[in-house]
Amino acid sequence: MRIPYAEMYGQFLRVLLKEGFTTERAELCAKLFAEASRDGVYTHGLNRFPRFIEHIRRGVVDIHAHPKQEAAYGALERWDGSGGPGNLNAYFCMNRAIDLAGRYGMGAVSLSNTNHWMRAGAYGWQAAEAGCIGMCWTNTTPNLPPWGSAEAKLGNNPIVLAVPRQEGHVVLDMAMSMFSYGKLETYHLQNKPLPVDGGFDQAGELSRDPGAILESKRPLPIGYWKGSGLSLLLDMIAAVLSGGLATHEIGRLEQETRVSQMFIAFDASKLDTHHAVSQTVNSIIEDLAGAEPLKENEKVYYPGERTLFTRAENMAGGIPAEPIFWEQVLAL
């Protein structure tokens, strides 16, 4: 089924207002959820919304909490998320990094004690829309075995990199596992195999069966040992700079909460070569687009390009929705 964007946003807003959000915060929160599904990240839009409401009702998420500044060191600031809604906290902190970048050329904001930020890429698009190069990442509960082990010790710690571009922003949004748990669930729900090996089954064999990987809880790190190491360092830097919990400490909690995050923005207009930025970015994209595709009538895409096509398609024809999740939202 397909749901018009305005209708999906309206249902999210209705539920959030009933849960006690102020109008301003409800509108932003509903917008972030609706835009996730609009751009094709259904696992962290509509599909995730009922679970978000459940966490509010269980007291995991405090809808009235706002980030509090703990320290400031020029272009670097440290904030405490106070257990508030993860997407609102993340949006605030990226905005803060953008403000600092406007003053210093770059801004870095660390955030502790926050909740799941939903669609990671939202904050890369946010930075790019503000004309900034953006970078952000989060740690998670242990859900990824390090290379050489079957025991989950790492988080799949999503990271986002974004570069503004008038013709279409370049935004990379990726987890440290080949497929995020949300993407594995989507393939499993649709009874489809993964396009490439995504993890190990119970027998320890590489598999494209999303159900087998979900059962074994052994997704494959990107780049094997390289992704394993990158996950560790992302967790370490976020915990050190925020003064918050590391992945192994989050794993001792009853559920994933009190995570640590980083938000960084660069204002390229401050550079003495700022006039050449667009030319540099476009020349790189043009060179990439010139790569000969492996299959006829296909092309090589830059990160974020497919998102623009999906966004246009879903705004015109409605957002694809799994009936089970849409019915859950209507019933809230």
Side-chain angles (χ1 to χ4, degrees):
M1 62 190 303
R2 284 184 176 265
I3 309 298
Y5 173 87
E7 183 178 350
M8 184 172 290
Y9 167 82
Q11 288 295 337
F12 291 158
L13 180 61
R14 173 189 65 81
V15 174
L16 294 170
L17 290 173
K18 288 190 71 173
E19 292 298 322
F21 279 79
T22 63
T23 300
E24 181 181 8
R25 283 163 67 81
E27 288 174 346
L28 176 56
C29 191
K31 177 174 177 284
L32 291 169
F33 271 106
E35 287 183 350
S37 277
R38 177 202 66 185
D39 287 358
V41 190
Y42 312 110
T43 55
H44 289 70
L46 170 65
N47 300 13
R48 187 92 188 192
F49 189 79
R51 197 187 316 177
F52 175 66
I53 299 302
E54 178 191 351
H55 284 184
I56 291 171
R57 294 176 177 177
R58 288 170 51 196
V60 178
V61 177
D62 181 356
I63 66 171
H64 303 294
H66 291 258
K68 298 177 182 176
Q69 190 178 78
E70 291 191 316
Y73 315 95
L76 171 63
E77 293 184 350
R78 175 182 282 182
W79 289 74
D80 184 324
S82 306
N87 54 2
L88 296 185
N89 283 350
Y91 190 90
F92 172 88
C93 286
M94 182 53 86
N95 256 351
R96 186 65 194 149
I98 292 167
D99 289 343
L100 290 169
R103 189 187 317 169
Y104 298 106
M106 70 161 290
V109 174
S110 62
L111 178 66
S112 65
N113 193 26
T114 190
N115 283 296
H116 194 298
W117 62 0
M118 306 306 151
R119 177 199 179 188
Y123 318 109
W125 288 96
Q126 177 187 352
E129 285 293 329
C132 286
I133 295 171
M135 179 187 303
C136 57
W137 68 89
T138 182
N139 63 7
T140 71
T141 195
N143 58 14
L144 180 67
W147 189 250
S149 174
E151 182 181 0
K153 288 289 188 179
L154 304 172
N156 64 347
N157 302 347
I159 185 171
V160 178
L161 300 167
V163 174
R165 178 172 173 264
Q166 186 174 358
E167 297 80 1
H169 304 314
V170 184
V171 182
L172 175 66
D173 173 3
M174 66 178 193
M176 291 301 103
S177 53
M178 280 294 297
F179 297 90
S180 67
Y181 274 91
K183 186 63 71 174
L184 289 172
E185 290 168 359
T186 296
Y187 274 99
H188 184 53
L189 190 65
Q190 297 175 348
N191 197 30
K192 293 181 178 179
L194 302 174
V196 297
D197 292 336
F200 299 91
D201 58 22
Q202 293 282 34
E205 298 294 329
L206 283 171
S207 175
R208 297 189 180 190
D209 181 349
I213 298 168
L214 288 168
E215 184 179 0
S216 70
K217 298 180 180 179
R218 290 187 62 189
L220 187 66
I222 60 168
Y224 304 103
W225 50 88
K226 296 178 182 180
S228 176
L230 182 54
S231 172
L232 182 71
L233 267 294
L234 290 174
D235 174 40
M236 195 176 294
I237 294 169
V240 166
L241 292 183
S242 71
L245 299 185
T247 287
H248 72 280
E249 295 170 311
I250 297 168
R252 296 173 188 152
L253 306 177
E254 292 183 6
Q255 58 213 338
E256 184 182 83
T257 185
R258 298 180 64 191
V259 299
S260 302
Q261 298 173 348
M262 279 298 306
F263 302 85
I264 302 172
F266 300 92
D267 186 347
S269 69
K270 302 294 184 183
L271 299 172
D272 58 2
T273 56
H274 66 88
H275 59 280
V277 169
S278 294
Q279 180 181 348
T280 300
V281 173
N282 284 332
S283 68
I284 294 171
I285 294 297
E286 289 169 7
D287 182 70
L288 179 75
E292 184 176 351
L294 291 173
K295 296 182 180 179
E296 191 176 356
N297 298 323
E298 290 194 359
K299 61 170 291 185
V300 176
Y301 294 90
Y302 64 81
E305 188 173 9
R306 288 180 182 271
T307 298
L308 297 176
F309 295 143
T310 301
R311 180 183 300 177
E313 180 182 343
N314 288 351
M315 287 300 291
I319 300 171
E322 293 287 348
I324 184 173
F325 295 114
W326 182 240
E327 290 165 6
Q328 287 175 10
V329 171
L330 294 179
L332 287 169

